Amino acid sequence: MANLCTTPLVLRSFVSRPQGPARAQAVLAGGSKAVLRCTCSADDSENDSGMTAGANDPSGVLSRRGVLGALAATAVLQRTSDAQAGFNPDLLQPCTSLNQCRNTLDGINKDLEADPDDLDSEGLKYFFESEVDRLEKNKQFVDSASKSLKSGENRFLQRITLSVERSQFDNTVDFWTKGMGMKVQGDSADTSGLRTVTVTYGDETLLKETGGNFAIELVESVSPSQPAWLSSGSQLKYIQVAIGNVRMGNIVDSGADVLYSYGYLELIAPDGTLVKSRVGTRRDPIELLCYEVDDIEASVRYYEEVLGMKVLETTPKFECSQVKKGALGALGFAKRECVPPPYNTFNPRNVPGSVLLSYGGMKDSVGVLLSPRAPLYNPPEYTPEAAKMVEPAAPGTRYQSMSILTKDGVASARKAEVDGAKVELEGKVPGIGVKGSVVRDANGYGIALVDYDDFEKTR
C-alpha cells in the first residue's frame, strides 16, 4: 500500500537546509541514491512514486526517480521560490484531463531533448507521467463502474449526508476543505437561507476520467427536529480517510479536536463527527464509513444479499484460552485470558469481529465497515484492551443517509424493504436532488437508493 511519508522527509532533508537545493541537484544529477528514513507505515513497501520505504526496506533507500518526484511534490506543498525548489509551483497542478496531461508531457519531453540535463524538466516529467498514469487508471475504473451501473450488475456508494447545526456549519466546511483538503463541489441555500454544501476530492460524475469521487454532503440545521426521512437514527461511528498531507493548523483553527496522533489521527470535527486519518494514497482518499450494528451477522447478510455489497475483510476476534499461572496454576486452576488480534500501529484499529464490505476493491472504492455495538462485548472477551477499541460514536453526529447509485432507485428500495427495513421516501431525494428512495435499515441507518441515469443528468 502506498504512502506519502517521504515527502516531508525530502522537504526537511533538502529544502529546509541552506545547502538543500545544491545537495538535491548533486544527488539527482549524479544518479546516486539518497538514503532517507521513512517510518510512516509498517506495511508500506513500494509506493506510487517509486519510492521504497517502510518495514520491508529498513534502509529506507529512495531511488533517483523517487527523489525527483518527492522534490516536485515538495515544491507544490511548500510553494517555495523557484530559486530554492527549482520548480514553478503553478506548473505542478493536478491535471483536469488526460489530453491536457499528455500535451504538457509532450512539451516537457521536447525540452529534455534540447537539454537532457535540465533538472527542472526531469522533475516535471516525473510529475506529469504520474498524473497520466493516475488518470488512465481512474478512467478504467469509472468506465467499468458506469457500465455496470447501467446494466444493473453493480451499484456505487456515492455520498454521505450529515446534518450540521448552524453555529458549527462554517467551521465544519472549513475542517473538510482547509483541513482535510477537500473541494467544494456545490453550495446552495433553501428559501429559509439554510445551506447545503457538498465537498469531494474530485469530480462526482462517472462520465469523466477525473470522476468517481465520494461526496460528503453537509446540510445546515437550526433545530434538532427533522422530517422523518432526515431523522438522526443511529449514529455514524466514524469516517476514515487515507491521505498524504493533513493541514493540522487549519484543522485546529476550524475548532476540531485532536484525540489521538500516534501513527494515525483521530479527530472530532466541529459538528461532532469522528474522523480517522491515516497516511496513504488511494484512488479516492475517502476510505470507509463505519457504522455500529446490533446484530453483526444479520447486518452483513442484509448489506450482502439485499444491498449487493461483497465482504472484503473480517477483523479477527479475540483469542481466548485457559491459562495456568502461578501458585494456583500449579494446583491445576486455570484462568481465562483473551489476547487481542495483531494490528498495525499506523492504521486505525477495528473492533474485533467488524466486517468491511464494498461494491469494489479495497483500494479503489469506498467501503462500509459494520462494527459490533459496544454492549455486545461481554466478559470474558470484554477486556480493558477491548474496551478501548469499542468506543461509542462521537456525540453530536447527526447522520442522515448514505447514497447508493443504482439502476432503479425506487424498485431497489422496495426490494430492500425486508428484515426490518422500511421505505421512508420515494421520489426526488433532497440534497442530491435526483430520483430515488430512502430506506431505513433495521439499525436505523438511512440509505438513499438513487437512479444512476438521473444522477448523471444533474452533474
Side-chain angles (χ1 to χ4, degrees):
M1 190 176 294
N3 74 66
L4 296 180
C5 60
T6 48
T7 297
L9 290 173
V10 171
L11 183 153
R12 291 197 296 272
S13 298
F14 290 152
V15 178
S16 64
R17 302 178 184 178
Q19 73 276 23
R23 172 176 166 76
Q25 291 191 15
V27 170
L28 298 173
S32 60
K33 290 184 176 181
V35 179
L36 299 176
R37 291 286 177 179
C38 176
T39 58
C40 279
S41 179
D43 64 350
D44 291 348
S45 56
E46 180 71 13
N47 67 28
D48 293 342
S49 62
M51 303 178 186
T52 303
N56 295 329
D57 179 18
S59 67
V61 174
L62 306 186
S63 67
R64 178 171 179 258
R65 177 177 172 81
V67 176
L68 277 170
L71 188 59
T74 298
V76 176
L77 295 175
Q78 298 301 309
R79 293 294 191 265
T80 50
S81 66
D82 292 350
Q84 183 184 28
F87 293 102
N88 177 2
D90 293 334
L91 297 176
L92 294 171
Q93 300 296 330
C95 294
T96 57
S97 71
L98 269 172
N99 284 337
Q100 176 207 356
C101 256
R102 287 166 177 162
N103 291 338
T104 303
L105 194 55
D106 287 343
I108 294 170
N109 285 328
K110 290 179 180 179
D111 291 340
L112 281 171
E113 289 177 5
D115 184 2
D117 296 324
D118 184 356
L119 178 63
D120 293 1
S121 294
E122 191 171 350
L124 288 170
K125 178 182 179 180
Y126 172 84
F127 177 82
F128 284 102
E129 282 179 341
S130 299
E131 278 294 283
V132 168
D133 181 64
R134 177 181 69 85
L135 289 181
E136 286 178 342
K137 290 178 179 177
N138 199 70
K139 185 178 186 304
Q140 293 176 0
F141 174 84
V142 295
D143 286 349
S144 175
S146 178
K147 181 179 179 181
S148 64
L149 276 164
K150 287 180 176 294
S151 66
E153 295 176 5
N154 202 1
R155 296 173 178 176
F156 187 81
L157 182 56
Q158 201 278 324
R159 71 172 54 196
I160 187 174
T161 303
L162 301 173
S163 179
V164 182
E165 203 275 323
R166 170 173 269 178
S167 65
Q168 294 298 330
F169 191 81
D170 289 339
N171 286 340
T172 301
V173 173
D174 285 347
F175 168 81
W176 287 110
T177 55
K178 297 178 181 179
M180 303 305 293
M182 303 184 82
K183 305 294 183 184
V184 173
Q185 293 292 334
D187 188 346
S188 60
D190 61 18
T191 54
S192 63
L194 295 176
R195 295 165 60 201
T196 296
V197 173
T198 303
V199 294
T200 72
Y201 282 106
D203 294 313
E204 296 178 76
T205 175
L206 293 169
L207 302 181
K208 293 179 65 176
E209 53 212 15
T210 55
N213 288 280
F214 188 82
I216 297 177
E217 185 178 65
L218 306 172
V219 180
E220 188 176 16
S221 172
V222 294
S223 170
S225 62
Q226 294 282 358
W229 76 274
L230 289 183
S231 58
S232 298
S234 295
Q235 290 179 330
L236 171 74
K237 191 176 177 75
Y238 60 84
I239 299 173
Q240 183 167 310
V241 300
I243 53 180
N245 183 37
V246 176
R247 301 164 178 85
M248 287 301 298
N250 292 340
I251 286 175
V252 175
D253 289 345
S254 73
D257 293 323
V258 180
L259 301 182
Y260 184 81
S261 59
Y262 182 78
Y264 62 90
L265 295 175
E266 288 191 3
L267 311 165
I268 295 291
D271 68 331
T273 301
L274 177 60
V275 178
K276 298 187 179 185
S277 175
R278 69 176 184 86
V279 174
T281 54
R282 302 181 77 251
R283 189 197 65 82
D284 186 340
I286 302 294
E287 189 163 32
L288 60 86
L289 313 174
C290 181
Y291 298 92
E292 286 191 326
V293 296
D294 292 315
D295 187 331
I296 187 71
E297 293 182 358
S299 296
V300 170
R301 185 170 59 251
Y302 182 82
Y303 277 72
E304 267 194 300
E305 298 177 3
V306 180
L307 296 182
M309 293 185 178
K310 62 179 180 180
V311 173
L312 300 182
E313 183 179 81
T314 299
T315 304
K317 295 183 179 181
F318 279 67
E319 294 184 1
C320 299
S321 59
Q322 299 291 333
V323 179
K324 297 180 180 180
K325 287 184 177 181
L328 290 178
L331 295 175
F333 293 96
K335 178 183 178 182
R336 184 176 175 84
E337 290 190 355
C338 298
V339 179
Y343 65 92
N344 186 331
T345 305
F346 301 97
N347 289 331
R349 289 187 286 178
N350 302 333
V351 173
S354 298
V355 179
L356 178 66
L357 303 98
S358 177
Y359 288 115
M362 194 173 294
K363 294 182 178 180
D364 57 22
S365 299
V366 179
V368 171
L369 182 67
L370 300 179
S371 176
R373 205 179 296 276
L376 296 182
Y377 258 104
N378 297 317
E381 292 189 348
Y382 193 54
T383 63
E385 182 67 19
K388 297 177 182 178
M389 302 169 66
V390 192
E391 297 175 350
T397 301
R398 303 195 62 206
Y399 170 80
Q400 292 185 2
S401 64
M402 64 175 169
S403 295
I404 297 172
L405 301 182
T406 183
K407 185 176 181 180
D408 187 332
V410 174
S412 298
R414 290 172 181 169
K415 293 179 181 178
E417 198 173 21
V418 296
D419 295 336
K422 297 181 179 180
V423 175
E424 293 193 349
L425 178 143
E426 288 186 0
K428 186 176 181 179
V429 179
I432 195 171
V434 297
K435 184 171 66 174
S437 302
V438 176
V439 178
R440 193 162 297 282
D441 70 10
N443 291 286
Y445 294 114
I447 302 167
L449 296 163
V450 177
D451 277 24
Y452 172 60
D453 286 339
D454 204 38
F455 167 81
E456 291 292 9
K457 292 176 184 177
T458 63
R459 296 308 102 185

